[in-house]
Amino acid sequence: EDYLRLGYVPLEDAHNAASLTLAYSFDDWSVAVLADHFQNTTRADLLRNRSQTAYRSLFSTKRELMCPRTKAGELKCPPIPFLPYPLNSDFTEGSALIYLWFVPHDPVGLVNLFPSKEAFVKKLDGFMQDSLPKSQGGKWPFGNVLANGWYWAGNEPDLLAPWLFNFAGAQHLTAKWTTYLATQAYTSGADGVPGNDDYGALSAWLVWAVLGLYPLPATNQFILGMPQVEQVTVGNLTISRFGPATRIAGVALNGKNVTSPFLVTYQDLMEPSATLQVWTAPAMEVLV
């Protein structure tokens, strides 16, 4: 009721008010897509507008976080944004930093909350870097299995996070971090899955990362990462990578050039004898 009245779940209603609001925001957007399909434009517009208002109402420009808001409208940002679950009960199975990136239905809008695309990229890249073990220059001392307060796939709110660089003109970092995760966070060892697989959710993420594609929720679009194999055929689609898994120099889908933000559609991928070709460049060159 308060979500409908205020446009967000207030902190007085639930200790995890911020994560609930973000989830409801995504729900509204998803139902709006369905309403569009049935040509109910009035309902679609209402839901889409409420979805936009909801997630934006939580953003603190000072802290660059999604924070719970009281009924009086005051933002209550956590003092330690990287405090992981279950030590942190303010967010559902995640930290404030993890939930910062949970706007899967409007990544462009999320980028625009920051002062600049460069500021967004810096924040997201730091989030990924800090999640690494201390031996690799990160801040996390407890391995791959326990819940991490920075990027950690285990409870899934931030599965999309390493793919978001595309929307800020930094596809090379999507390529970097999805390659790192596919080759380092998923292994054949006893700790070879970050958390538990949750009925295949993490395995599915890995399959998409190996293909170099990731579905953008509630759309017909896929985000381009970096194929981890030189060639693979899935149904009618053949994906080819020319060069090492470093940075993208060029992309062609069915013979047509694909440019930033490097999104491709389901319809194009499902063309008869579809081809996705990726040419790469040396790691030190920033080409995209």
Side-chain angles (χ1 to χ4, degrees):
E1 183 179 336
D2 277 334
Y3 176 76
L4 299 179
R5 181 173 62 88
L6 298 171
Y8 58 89
V9 178
L11 189 56
E12 292 90 340
D13 286 4
H15 65 87
N16 57 341
S19 49
L20 281 176
T21 298
L22 292 169
Y24 293 166
S25 173
F26 178 47
D27 292 345
D28 277 345
W29 185 277
S30 300
V31 179
V33 172
L34 190 62
D36 275 333
H37 178 76
F38 288 105
Q39 300 181 348
N40 189 337
T41 54
T42 300
R43 177 64 65 180
D45 289 345
L46 185 153
L47 291 165
R48 192 173 288 110
N49 290 338
R50 190 168 70 199
S51 169
Q52 295 272 318
T53 301
Y55 84 81
R56 291 175 181 174
S57 73
L58 303 185
F59 188 72
S60 166
T61 55
K62 181 178 180 180
R63 296 287 305 278
E64 291 185 343
L65 290 172
M66 296 293 183
C67 302
R69 189 179 285 274
T70 68
K71 288 183 178 180
E74 182 183 3
L75 287 173
K76 293 285 189 178
C77 295
I80 306 176
F82 54 83
L83 191 66
Y85 169 83
L87 300 177
N88 166 29
S89 63
D90 293 335
F91 293 81
T92 304
E93 297 190 353
S95 67
L97 276 179
I98 283 174
Y99 271 94
L100 169 59
W101 315 106
F102 188 77
V103 188
H105 51 292
D106 191 17
V108 173
L110 176 61
V111 172
N112 289 337
L113 291 177
F114 286 76
S116 64
K117 289 183 178 180
E118 292 76 16
F120 176 89
V121 168
K122 181 179 179 181
K123 184 85 170 185
L124 181 53
D125 194 38
F127 172 72
M128 300 301 300
Q129 179 64 42
D130 289 345
S131 73
L132 300 183
K134 287 187 174 182
S135 61
Q136 296 181 28
K139 296 181 178 180
W140 184 245
F142 299 119
N144 196 36
V145 175
L146 295 177
N148 189 327
W150 293 276
Y151 177 81
W152 188 67
N155 288 324
E156 295 142 44
D158 57 357
L159 288 182
L160 186 63
W163 303 85
L164 292 175
F165 293 103
N166 284 41
F167 298 95
Q171 199 282 337
H172 61 287
L173 291 176
T174 291
K176 169 188 171 179
W177 286 113
T178 57
T179 295
Y180 172 85
L181 293 168
T183 58
Q184 303 297 317
Y186 295 82
T187 70
S188 58
D191 62 346
V193 175
N196 76 70
D197 201 21
D198 265 3
Y199 296 97
L202 302 190
S203 296
W205 188 98
L206 176 60
V207 170
W208 284 117
V210 169
L211 294 176
L213 294 167
Y214 199 73
L216 187 60
T219 75
N220 67 339
Q221 296 180 314
F222 291 78
I223 306 167
L224 183 64
M226 175 60 67
Q228 297 302 304
V229 291
E230 292 184 352
Q231 189 169 89
V232 60
T233 298
V234 182
N236 61 296
L237 171 66
T238 298
I239 300 171
S240 304
R241 191 195 75 215
F242 303 97
T246 50
R247 297 172 185 256
I248 287 177
V251 180
L253 177 59
N254 302 329
K256 298 179 181 179
N257 288 338
V258 179
T259 57
S260 184
F262 294 96
L263 300 176
V264 297
T265 68
Y266 174 83
Q267 289 80 0
D268 287 335
L269 294 174
M270 291 297 103
E271 287 279 335
S273 303
T275 59
L276 178 62
Q277 297 170 299
V278 177
W279 290 266
T280 65
M284 68 286 296
E285 295 181 30
V286 180
L287 299 181
V288 296

